[in-house]
Amino acid sequence: MNANKSKKIVVLATGGTIAGLAADAAKPQNYTAGQVGVADLLQGLAAEGLELQTEQVAQIDSKDMSFSVWQSLLARLAHWLAQDDVQGVVITHGTDTLEETAYFLQTVLRSSKPVAMTCAMLPANAPNSDGPGNLKDALAWVQVNSSCGVAVVCAGQVHAAHAVQKSHSHQRNPFTSQAGVVHPAALRVPSVAHVLACKDWPRVELVFNHVGADGRVVRALMTGDAPQGWVVAGTGNGTLHHDLEAALLDAQKQGAQVLRASRCAQGGVQSRDADVLPHAGGLTAVQSRVALLLHLIAQSA
Ligand code: SIN
C-alpha cells in the first residue's frame, strides 16, 4: 500500500442516487438522481496520502444511460488509466443500469488497473445515506488493490463486473454476484478506438418469452427500420414459445442476429442438442444485449 501512496486516484462521476437529493430529507424515497457534483460528494473523504482528481462525466439518473455517455465515460477512463501516475479510477453511477455499464467497460477495456464502480440506494441528503461509505470503500479498494479490472464496490461487498446483477429494487445492498459468467467466445469485441468512433450504434431489442408469447412484437419491428439484433430472455434454460421462436427465426433470415438468454436470475443457458438459436451461456439478458451490441460494432469494422 505504501508504494501506491504517491499515486493519484481519479473519480469519474455520472450521477445516480449517490448524487441524488430529496426535497424533504425526511422522505428520502422522493428524490431526484444526479444533482450533487463530484467535488461535493468527496467532501470529507480525502484520506492522508491520497491525491484525487475528479471529473463530472455526466449527471444523470442511470435509467437514462445512453451510448453517448458510455462513449464519454470510456474515453475518459481510457485516458486516465493510461497515465503512469494514476493508480486507478472510481466511477460513481446509478444502481439501475450499473451492471450494463460495468459489463461494457470491463469487456471493451480489459483494464490492467483497478476500476471501482460505486453507487448508493439513498440520496446524498438522506439521514444515514449509504453514498459516502460506499465511496470511501471504493477509494480504499482502488488504493490497496493491485488486481486488474472493473469491480463494483457497494454495501461492504465487492462484485466482479461480469458477475454483478441488481437483484433487489430497494434494499441497501441491491447487488448479487452470479457464477459462471464468461463472455461468449463467438461474440467479437471491438477495440476501444472502434467503440469511440461508432456514430450509429446498432439496434438490439430485448424480448421476453412468456405465456402467450406469439412473436407479434418481433414481426412488427422487423418491417422498415428493423433492429440488427434481438436478445430473447427465454424461459428456464432459454426455451421459447414456438410462435416466438418462429418469429425470431424469420428475423434471423432477414439478417438480424438473435441470441438466447434466460429470464431466470441465475444459471444462464446451457447447450442442448436440439438448440435452434444460439445462446449467450451464463450471461444475463441485459449482459447479452451489451455483448451483442459490441459484436455488431466489431463486425462493422
Ligand atoms: C439510478 O440508477 O441512477 C437511480 C437509482 C440508483 O442509483 O439507485
Side-chain angles (χ1 to χ4, degrees):
M1 180 165 166
N2 283 345
N4 296 330
K5 272 200 158 182
S6 59
K7 290 201 171 183
K8 181 156 71 181
I9 295 180
V10 179
V11 182
L12 302 178
T14 69
T17 297
I18 190 168
L21 285 178
D24 176 354
K27 293 182 185 165
Q29 69 277 20
N30 304 321
Y31 73 95
T32 306
Q35 303 295 305
V36 182
V38 61
D40 289 334
L41 292 183
L42 286 162
Q43 285 281 335
L45 294 185
E48 199 190 333
L50 180 62
E51 189 192 341
L52 292 177
Q53 172 95 33
T54 63
E55 277 187 17
Q56 193 76 48
V57 175
Q59 189 60 294
I60 59 171
D61 186 317
S62 82
K63 72 178 174 58
D64 300 318
M65 186 53 69
S66 64
F67 298 138
S68 66
V69 174
W70 268 8
Q71 284 173 309
S72 303
L73 185 57
L74 180 64
R76 298 316 295 155
L77 190 54
H79 165 81
W80 285 115
L81 290 173
Q83 311 302 312
D84 284 344
D85 64 339
V86 170
Q87 157 85 17
V89 176
V90 169
I91 299 171
T92 60
H93 195 290
T95 61
D96 284 344
T97 58
L98 188 145
E99 69 205 69
E100 292 171 65
T101 304
Y103 195 81
F104 165 71
L105 294 174
Q106 171 67 12
T107 305
V108 175
L109 206 54
R110 294 177 189 155
S111 168
S112 59
K113 291 182 180 176
V115 177
M117 298 184 70
T118 195
C119 51
M121 291 300 283
L122 290 169
N125 62 340
N128 304 319
S129 174
D130 50 337
N134 286 343
L135 189 46
K136 199 171 171 190
D137 287 349
L139 290 166
W141 186 83
V142 168
Q143 210 180 4
V144 300
N145 211 292
S146 56
S147 72
C148 50
V150 181
V152 175
V153 177
C154 178
Q157 295 186 343
V158 179
H159 304 267
H162 63 275
V164 70
Q165 197 173 4
K166 185 169 180 179
S167 49
H168 199 284
S169 60
H170 57 267
Q171 72 185 19
R172 287 284 189 103
N173 182 4
F175 295 111
T176 49
S177 281
Q178 61 162 337
V181 182
V182 178
H183 191 82
L187 296 178
R188 291 173 55 191
V189 177
S191 67
V192 171
H194 193 185
V195 173
L196 294 180
C198 184
K199 290 195 169 58
D200 198 10
W201 281 56
R203 232 178 97 207
V204 176
E205 297 292 344
L206 182 53
V207 65
F208 274 73
N209 192 50
H210 48 73
V211 173
D214 59 13
R216 267 189 291 178
V217 68
V218 175
R219 293 190 188 285
L221 286 184
M222 286 308 297
T223 56
D225 181 23
Q228 290 87 34
W230 285 91
V231 169
V232 55
T235 28
N237 192 33
T239 55
L240 304 179
H241 187 294
H242 48 77
D243 288 338
L244 178 57
E245 183 174 74
L248 288 166
L249 283 168
D250 284 346
Q252 201 180 42
K253 277 189 211 129
Q254 285 176 251
Q257 301 208 23
V258 181
L259 201 52
R260 274 181 310 122
S262 174
R263 69 179 210 184
C264 292
Q266 290 182 41
V269 179
Q270 295 181 317
S271 295
R272 293 200 307 185
D273 288 347
D275 280 350
V276 178
L277 288 163
H279 67 78
L283 269 58
T284 62
V286 292
Q287 286 175 331
S288 302
R289 183 171 171 276
V290 175
L292 187 51
L293 281 166
L294 294 175
H295 178 69
L296 289 164
I297 292 172
Q299 278 192 327
S300 70

